[in-house]
Amino acid sequence: MMTAVESHMTYSNSYTINNETVYMTQEDDWDRDLLLDPAWEKQQRKTFTAWCNSHLRKAGTAIENIEEDFKNGLKLMLLLEVISGERLPKPDKGKMRFHKIANVNKALDFICSKGVKLVSIGAEEITDGNGKMTLGMIWTIILRFAIQDISVEETSAKEGLLLWCQRKTAPYRNVNVQNFHISWKDGLALCALIHRHRPDLIDYSKLRKDDPIGNLNTAFEVAEKFLDIPKMLDAEDIVNTPKPDEKAIMTYVSCFYHAFAGAEQAETAANRICKVLAVNQENEKLMEEYEKLASELLEWIRRTIPWLENRTAEQTMRAMQQKLEDFRDYRRIHKPPRVQEKCQLEINFNTLQTKLRLSNRPAFMPSEGKMVSDIANAWKGLEGVEKGYEEWLLTEIRRLERLDHLAEKFKQKCSMHESWTGGKEELLSQKDYESASLMEIRALMRKHEAFESDLAAHQDRVEQIAAIAQELNELDYHDAASVNARCQGICDQWDNLGTLTQKRRDALERVEKLWETIDQLYLEFAKRAAPFNNWMDGAMEDLQDMFIVHSIEEIQSLITAHDQFKATLPEADKERMATMGIHNEILKIAQTYGIKLSGINPYTNLSPQDISSKWDAVKHLVPLRDQMLQEEVARQQANERLRRQFAAQANIIGPWIQTKMEEISHVSVDIAGSLEEQMNSLKQYEGNIINYKSNIDKLEGDHQLSQESLIFDNKHTNYTMEHVRVGWEQLLTTIARTINEVENQILTRDAKGISQEQLNEFRASFNHFDRKRNGMMDPDDFRACLISMGYDLGEVEFARIMTLVDPNNTGVVTFQAFIDFMTRETAETDTAEQVMASFKILASDKNYITVDELRRELPPDQAEYCISRMTRYIGGDGATGALDYISFSSALYGESDL
Amino acid sequence: METVEQLVSFLHIQVQLSGGAPWGFTLKGGLEHGEPLIITKIEDGGKVALCEKLKVGDELININGSALYGSRQEALILIKGSYRILKLAVRR
């Protein structure tokens, strides 16, 4: 049997299984079952009866005796009907045996029709009540209808049932179902089976292996009560039989299977239904999904197309580029999922259709408008619009690019132009020429000319700007308004600039002309003011000129000059007025035309104020000069008086002195009378002269006055004070000298013992050779004189004599020296010793001499001479007032003893 | 007349005498006479002679540290003014 089980397991689960093999198995079984154990027979009978009843009760009937009650076949047929759920042919109603057999045959036929090969079972035996056969037939039925269609996984019938039992009791460790006999003896298997399905029915934990009968009965009870499985077995029979009847057990257990598996079948059926439903649901879901997806997609397409059809142009490149970007996003990000969706949709649709077809369902018909074709069309439309959109975008972008470029160009040009024009209006409106000099104005003019040419050069730039603005307008630039405004602004400004430029030019020209006029006037002013200023300066100098005049004529001429000058003043004044007039004209022009003068005349530093003030100064000086001159006149006149006074005096004194000089010289020269007589005469003269001194003094007084009055010349007299003084001094000197000469002559005469006649001779000789008659001889005269006296001298001799005669090298020989020389030859020469001896005598042999002694012994003059010349005597024996005559003497002779 | 100093190398001698006047020499010449101041005589046994430095013909140029300008009067005064000590400078 095992091998049969094994071979059975290889077949599939379907109940339309190949029954051939089942046939064989059953036949084998049946054959063996013929050797039925009586115990088993009993068990089987009980069990089979119970089983049949469990079915028959559904038809409202039952059997008591399995052999008996099936004899007529009616209940058998009924049983079969109940079991199979099919109608059997109508049973024969007769009571006759053949009727019963026929019915049984019907039943058997039915059984055969179900694929069960009944071997060795005949209707007659059944009808006859063959127990074994009947049991066998029931077993066949049971096998066929209760067990055969058990399928657990891929195992069916008995093996399947066993497997089912094993599976179900697997969790129960104290249950081990290996067969359909011994495994069931302890009853735990059954309980486990029940508990597995209906744990509420048995408290399995309370069951004990050592109470098989209890267990079994529990199971039987519960099964009958709750599971609608009538008792078919006996607990004692099972327990007491070493190997319970397999068939009985199988039959009973199969009821359990059917009870539970029914539930399971129901479950399975439900599962199947669920599965089918699920498939259905799935399909429906797929359909829904499709619908939904399709809707969504179409919706999306519907939404998207207008977006793509939208041809409203954006204003800016940026916006368009944004659009392009959006489009790109659309293509790269948004569309692909939709493409995928569409693909998915198609796939889903195809899958769905396939599934439906395979599962014999009607094809899926999408709702209106959601057909595949609709979707495809819509998609096509989308793509068509896309393309158009992209093209449009690119075109627009190009257009905008161009516009942007133009706009940029416009802006740039405008900016450049504006920067050039920036500030120009202010500059042109400047009134800087109002306070500028001519040079500055000329410079401004040149600058303006340069500006004008610059302006002209910019003209075409303005035109370019306007052209671009025009183009922008034609191309419908979004911000054309501001472009136009700016363009207009620029054009207006341009016109304004032109106007201002012209105005400035006019103004500059006008001002330039005025300034030229003014400049001319400045120049004229300068030309006139300078010489006038010079003249004034000269006049001022002259008027303040310090003059030194020494005569009335001089002052008169100055006065004349001054008067002449005064005569020129009116003319000068006219010149001044004219010059000032020029300046006034300048002021007038400036005031009239509103020109600001800097007040500086470029051609001269002289201002009208300078001229005016100088003129006033000149005017002021004139009377002062008059006064001065008049004062001077007075002074000169006074001087003249002084001069006359002086002159009068000098003219008297001068000649007088001269006369006296001559007289005196005559006295000394003339050889008239003795020396004493000469002396007297001279003394007389001396007295005269002394008396005359007062005149000199007076003259001196006059002279002083003259000098104080700064009179340096006197044309009334040839005699200057100096002349007179000199003359006077000469006179004094002469008289003194002459007197002295005479004195000396006297001395000499006395000293040398020369007589008067000798002296007169000497005198005559001297006079003879005194060619110049000045009381002196020059060396030539002297030489001639000597020659005449017979002294023939060589050069050397003569030189020696000259040194003697003229030791001081005065170059003249005086009469005294002459006499000395003449008398030297004859007289003794005194030596220093001799003089000293003489003094000693006078000093009474002392080594010194006193003042008194000198005064006593010598003539007063000589005494004084000695007193004054002698040095004080230094010696122990000297008294006060002692004089040293020794040194004095040697000093006289050129020698001093020290 | 005082001549221009010739480029003649003079020997300068200085002497200091003491004791007071008389010094024992005679001085001749002087600006007054147009001659240089010359020692013309030296008294034997005199102070000048005893010092044995001065000779006849020496020209006196300095007295007591004062340079002479040539006047004999001046020299006399300077010499006479020396009481105890007389310093002379001569050239020859």
Side-chain angles (χ1 to χ4, degrees):
Chain A
M1 224 192 289
M2 283 302 151
T3 52
V5 175
E6 283 167 11
S7 64
H8 182 66
M9 277 208 219
T10 62
Y11 289 104
S12 70
N13 221 5
S14 171
Y15 65 91
T16 55
I17 197 172
N18 190 352
N19 283 318
E20 306 301 305
T21 324
V22 173
Y23 258 148
M24 303 304 286
T25 313
Q26 184 239 343
E27 204 173 339
D28 283 341
D29 260 359
W30 189 78
D31 274 338
R32 212 177 286 127
D33 285 344
L34 280 171
L35 308 161
L36 211 58
D37 194 324
W40 286 5
E41 191 187 330
K42 188 175 161 218
Q43 268 182 353
Q44 272 188 18
R45 201 183 295 271
K46 195 172 178 187
T47 309
F48 289 174
T49 305
W51 185 83
C52 291
N53 283 339
S54 73
H55 287 287
L56 285 172
R57 68 167 174 213
K58 292 174 198 159
T61 185
I63 58 166
E64 281 177 31
N65 190 316
I66 202 163
E67 296 156 333
E68 294 296 323
D69 290 337
F70 282 133
K71 276 184 179 177
N72 62 6
L74 291 170
K75 287 200 173 158
L76 188 65
M77 285 177 72
L78 195 63
L79 176 69
L80 286 170
E81 277 183 0
V82 169
I83 292 169
S84 67
E86 294 173 24
R87 300 283 316 194
L88 264 64
K90 206 155 173 236
D92 288 339
K93 288 279 192 273
K95 294 249 182 337
M96 304 295 291
R97 183 183 154 92
F98 67 89
H99 292 123
K100 293 177 189 171
I101 293 169
N103 288 339
V104 173
N105 271 327
K106 283 191 180 96
L108 292 174
D109 288 342
F110 180 75
I111 293 167
C112 279
S113 76
K114 288 299 168 199
V116 182
K117 197 153 184 201
L118 292 166
V119 179
S120 323
I121 297 177
E124 288 155 4
E125 277 88 11
I126 302 295
T127 307
D128 288 335
N130 185 337
K132 283 199 183 66
M133 205 143 299
T134 309
L135 286 173
M137 181 192 65
I138 297 299
W139 172 245
T140 307
I141 293 169
I142 292 170
L143 194 63
R144 172 67 188 77
F145 289 100
I147 297 171
Q148 203 64 42
D149 57 1
I150 291 173
S151 150
V152 174
E153 292 167 20
E154 290 175 354
T155 320
S156 61
K158 185 179 171 190
E159 290 75 20
L161 185 64
L162 190 68
L163 191 64
W164 181 80
C165 294
Q166 283 169 338
R167 284 277 152 82
K168 293 296 171 186
T169 57
Y172 304 87
R173 272 176 309 160
N174 51 3
V175 171
N176 184 14
V177 176
Q178 293 298 324
N179 48 46
F180 280 114
H181 33 84
I182 293 170
S183 303
W184 301 87
K185 275 184 80 162
D186 58 10
L188 287 175
L190 270 177
C191 290
L193 215 56
I194 293 170
H195 186 266
R196 181 67 198 276
H197 295 94
R198 294 288 300 270
D200 55 311
L201 298 177
I202 291 182
D203 187 357
Y204 191 81
S205 61
K206 295 233 165 57
L207 299 176
R208 287 169 22 245
K209 205 171 174 97
D210 57 3
D211 185 15
I213 290 173
N215 299 337
L216 284 166
N217 280 331
T218 307
F220 294 156
E221 292 277 343
V222 165
E224 188 178 39
K225 217 197 235 176
F226 298 105
L227 302 175
D228 202 24
I229 299 173
K231 288 191 185 135
M232 294 178 196
L233 296 168
D234 236 352
E236 288 79 11
D237 283 345
I238 293 172
V239 167
N240 296 330
T241 320
K243 185 175 169 203
D245 182 37
E246 197 183 33
K247 290 192 176 70
I249 303 262
M250 272 173 71
T251 306
Y252 191 60
V253 170
S254 71
C255 290
F256 279 89
Y257 175 84
H258 285 295
F260 292 134
E264 282 180 23
Q265 259 181 12
E267 222 179 274
T268 310
N271 284 345
R272 174 162 295 162
I273 290 169
C274 284
K275 212 161 85 172
V276 167
L277 284 183
V279 166
N280 232 37
Q281 275 176 346
E282 200 185 293
N283 286 344
E284 270 176 22
K285 206 168 83 164
L286 280 177
M287 283 187 237
E288 264 176 37
E289 253 183 45
Y290 174 89
E291 293 272 324
K292 189 164 120 213
L293 210 62
S295 298
E296 265 180 28
L297 192 65
L298 286 170
E299 178 63 29
W300 176 81
I301 291 173
R302 223 195 43 243
R303 272 202 324 265
T304 308
I305 286 184
W307 174 66
L308 293 172
E309 281 178 337
N310 183 6
R311 296 286 190 266
T312 48
E314 288 298 322
Q315 305 290 15
T316 64
M317 265 272 280
R318 189 77 210 91
M320 281 308 279
Q321 269 170 333
Q322 186 59 47
K323 262 187 143 75
L324 192 64
E325 243 175 69
D326 292 341
F327 182 70
R328 236 176 263 131
D329 280 347
Y330 158 76
R331 285 301 287 266
R332 275 190 17 236
I333 300 166
H334 298 120
K335 191 175 170 207
R338 299 293 175 175
V339 172
Q340 216 171 349
E341 266 178 35
K342 173 171 168 291
C343 216
Q344 195 60 47
L345 207 61
E346 279 174 23
I347 289 168
N348 289 354
F349 184 77
N350 290 335
T351 308
L352 185 59
Q353 296 294 53
T354 306
K355 271 193 179 162
L356 287 170
R357 191 161 39 83
L358 283 175
S359 55
N360 251 348
R361 298 279 206 292
F364 171 53
M365 191 55 68
S367 50
E368 189 76 37
K370 297 206 179 102
M371 313 267 266
V372 174
S373 54
D374 296 328
I375 291 175
N377 285 339
W379 194 257
K380 207 153 73 170
L382 180 74
E383 295 204 314
V385 178
E386 255 177 42
K387 187 144 172 289
Y389 187 66
E390 194 169 20
E391 281 169 9
W392 174 80
L393 276 179
L394 289 173
T395 312
E396 269 306 298
I397 286 176
R398 254 194 288 278
R399 184 183 75 93
L400 281 177
E401 198 180 37
R402 169 138 179 83
L403 271 180
D404 273 358
H405 169 73
L406 264 183
E408 198 51 42
K409 204 160 132 184
F410 176 82
K411 278 196 189 71
Q412 245 187 16
K413 279 197 183 290
C414 284
S415 296
M416 270 175 57
H417 180 81
E418 279 162 358
S419 73
W420 180 82
T421 59
K424 297 270 191 303
E425 281 159 306
E426 286 80 32
L427 280 177
L428 287 172
S429 307
Q430 266 181 326
K431 296 266 188 244
D432 50 355
Y433 46 79
E434 275 178 358
S435 54
S437 71
L438 185 61
M439 283 299 123
E440 287 166 352
I441 287 172
R442 290 223 176 94
L444 286 175
M445 192 61 159
R446 257 171 263 313
K447 214 164 127 185
H448 190 69
E449 280 167 14
F451 173 75
E452 278 172 335
S453 62
D454 195 16
L455 194 75
H458 270 78
Q459 172 68 29
D460 67 323
R461 266 183 238 198
V462 177
E463 283 168 6
Q464 274 173 20
I465 287 173
I468 293 176
Q470 176 69 16
E471 197 178 339
L472 281 170
N473 272 314
E474 282 166 7
L475 286 176
D476 198 21
Y477 181 60
H478 70 94
D479 200 10
S482 74
V483 161
N484 288 336
R486 197 167 178 184
C487 186
Q488 190 60 44
I490 284 177
C491 290
D492 290 342
Q493 193 195 39
W494 188 251
D495 292 336
N496 196 28
L497 276 178
T499 314
L500 284 174
T501 304
Q502 188 56 43
K503 273 215 251 190
R504 184 168 170 84
R505 164 165 276 275
D506 294 340
L508 281 173
E509 278 176 356
R510 188 176 57 92
V511 173
E512 190 183 14
K513 273 206 204 15
L514 285 171
W515 262 106
E516 273 168 1
T517 312
I518 289 177
D519 195 62
Q520 274 302 111
L521 288 172
Y522 269 142
L523 182 62
E524 224 187 284
F525 178 86
K527 277 197 208 157
R528 288 174 89 140
F532 186 68
N533 187 52
N534 275 344
W535 174 85
M536 280 198 294
D537 281 338
M540 279 176 71
E541 262 180 54
D542 290 343
L543 288 170
Q544 291 175 310
D545 186 31
M546 300 308 296
F547 47 77
I548 312 273
V549 294
H550 299 112
S551 69
I552 292 180
E553 288 78 23
E554 281 179 31
I555 193 68
Q556 274 303 121
S557 66
L558 283 180
I559 287 174
T560 312
H562 183 68
D563 288 336
Q564 278 173 345
F565 169 77
K566 282 200 281 196
T568 64
L569 282 179
E571 276 292 318
D573 199 25
K574 269 202 228 125
E575 178 64 20
R576 182 187 69 91
M577 302 273 286
T579 309
M580 299 302 282
I582 295 170
H583 177 71
N584 289 338
E585 208 178 314
I586 293 172
L587 288 175
K588 202 163 71 157
I589 292 175
Q591 196 176 12
T592 313
Y593 294 100
I595 295 174
K596 260 205 295 258
L597 293 174
S598 61
I600 297 173
N601 186 334
Y603 300 108
T604 177
N605 292 332
L606 294 167
S607 73
Q609 285 74 25
D610 294 338
I611 303 287
S612 290
S613 51
K614 211 171 263 189
W615 177 254
D616 290 339
V618 166
K619 292 289 288 287
H620 176 71
L621 284 173
V622 169
L624 289 176
R625 179 92 173 159
D626 278 325
Q627 194 180 341
M628 251 169 54
L629 289 173
Q630 287 308 316
E631 280 171 9
E632 189 63 22
V633 167
R635 203 169 73 84
Q636 287 304 320
Q637 281 167 347
N639 284 0
E640 191 64 12
R641 274 196 297 281
L642 276 174
R643 275 201 200 87
R644 283 191 205 279
Q645 197 172 316
F646 180 86
Q649 281 293 304
N651 285 340
I652 296 169
I653 290 171
W656 184 88
I657 290 175
Q658 232 163 338
T659 312
K660 285 290 174 263
M661 286 280 283
E662 280 170 15
E663 284 171 9
I664 288 167
S665 68
H666 276 301
V667 166
S668 67
V669 171
D670 290 347
I671 312 164
S674 66
L675 288 171
E676 279 76 11
E677 283 169 357
Q678 280 184 2
M679 180 64 82
N680 287 337
S681 166
L682 286 171
K683 288 275 184 208
Q684 254 184 324
Y685 272 112
E686 196 181 29
N688 276 346
I689 288 162
I690 289 165
N691 290 338
Y692 203 70
K693 179 108 185 340
S694 59
N695 293 328
I696 303 291
D697 290 336
K698 185 155 171 303
L699 194 68
E700 282 279 10
D702 287 343
H703 177 70
Q704 186 160 350
L705 286 175
S706 295
Q707 284 215 312
E708 282 168 2
S709 302
L710 302 175
I711 299 168
F712 299 118
D713 62 353
N714 197 335
K715 65 176 190 289
H716 303 299
T717 175
N718 289 329
Y719 294 103
T720 64
M721 192 64 223
E722 195 58 26
H723 277 145
V724 171
R725 269 196 214 118
V726 165
W728 178 254
E729 273 163 22
Q730 263 186 355
L731 191 63
L732 288 174
T733 315
T734 305
I735 193 66
R737 186 161 45 80
T738 310
I739 288 175
N740 183 245
E741 270 184 18
V742 172
E743 277 175 2
N744 286 340
Q745 281 178 37
I746 292 171
L747 267 175
T748 309
R749 187 198 60 197
D750 291 345
K752 296 199 190 216
I754 303 169
S755 66
Q756 190 62 42
E757 292 78 20
Q758 262 182 306
L759 211 61
N760 292 341
E761 261 182 51
F762 287 138
R763 196 46 177 190
S765 306
F766 189 87
N767 287 344
H768 183 70
F769 290 97
D770 174 17
R771 280 190 273 250
K772 295 186 188 70
R773 285 279 182 273
N774 51 4
M776 292 180 257
M777 276 199 289
D778 57 30
D780 294 337
D781 297 340
F782 184 56
R783 193 169 187 173
C785 186
L786 287 173
I787 292 169
S788 78
M789 283 198 279
Y791 294 101
D792 191 3
L793 307 162
E795 281 295 323
V796 176
E797 268 295 304
F798 181 70
R800 190 188 64 88
I801 290 168
M802 268 311 295
T803 52
L804 283 171
V805 160
D806 180 21
N808 292 331
N809 216 3
T810 59
V812 293
V813 181
T814 58
F815 183 58
Q816 188 64 40
F818 179 66
I819 289 176
D820 281 345
F821 173 70
M822 296 309 290
T823 54
R824 185 188 305 249
E825 301 289 301
T826 54
E828 298 168 37
T829 51
D830 288 325
T831 61
E833 286 84 0
Q834 285 170 335
V835 169
M836 252 185 270
S838 304
F839 270 115
K840 195 161 187 176
I841 294 165
L842 293 182
S844 310
D845 236 12
K846 297 198 296 297
N847 282 332
Y848 59 88
I849 193 166
T850 65
V851 172
D852 294 331
E853 283 164 342
L854 284 171
R855 283 200 177 121
R856 194 177 58 223
E857 300 299 338
L858 292 177
D861 292 339
Q862 278 137 15
E864 293 312 312
Y865 184 80
C866 289
I867 290 163
S868 65
R869 290 284 192 288
M870 280 184 190
T871 56
R872 261 190 320 113
Y873 180 75
I874 301 162
D877 52 331
T880 48
L883 298 170
D884 180 3
Y885 61 81
I886 296 167
S887 328
F888 179 71
S889 307
S890 59
L892 285 177
Y893 284 88
E895 274 186 3
S896 309
D897 286 328
L898 300 159
Chain B
M1 217 49 142
E2 195 73 23
T3 58
V4 173
E5 207 164 299
Q6 290 141 7
L7 290 170
V8 173
S9 55
F10 282 102
L11 193 62
H12 290 257
I13 296 154
Q14 283 169 340
V15 141
Q16 185 167 318
L17 308 167
S18 59
W23 303 100
F25 68 96
T26 306
L27 204 62
K28 189 168 186 244
L31 200 61
E32 301 93 323
H33 302 278
E35 294 165 6
L37 273 171
I38 305 284
I39 298 173
T40 46
K41 258 201 304 218
I42 294 178
E43 259 186 51
D44 296 328
K47 296 189 175 72
V48 168
L50 285 173
C51 83
E52 291 175 359
K53 281 190 179 174
L54 302 180
K55 289 196 186 132
V56 169
D58 284 350
E59 186 189 349
L60 195 60
I61 55 171
N62 197 305
I63 297 172
N64 286 340
S66 306
L68 304 177
Y69 78 90
S71 155
R72 200 166 78 207
Q73 198 74 3
E74 177 199 23
L76 288 177
I77 291 164
L78 283 169
I79 292 169
K80 293 264 164 130
S82 310
Y83 184 54
R84 275 267 163 232
I85 297 175
L86 178 63
K87 287 195 266 197
L88 299 175
V90 300
R91 66 179 183 193
R92 72 167 81 112

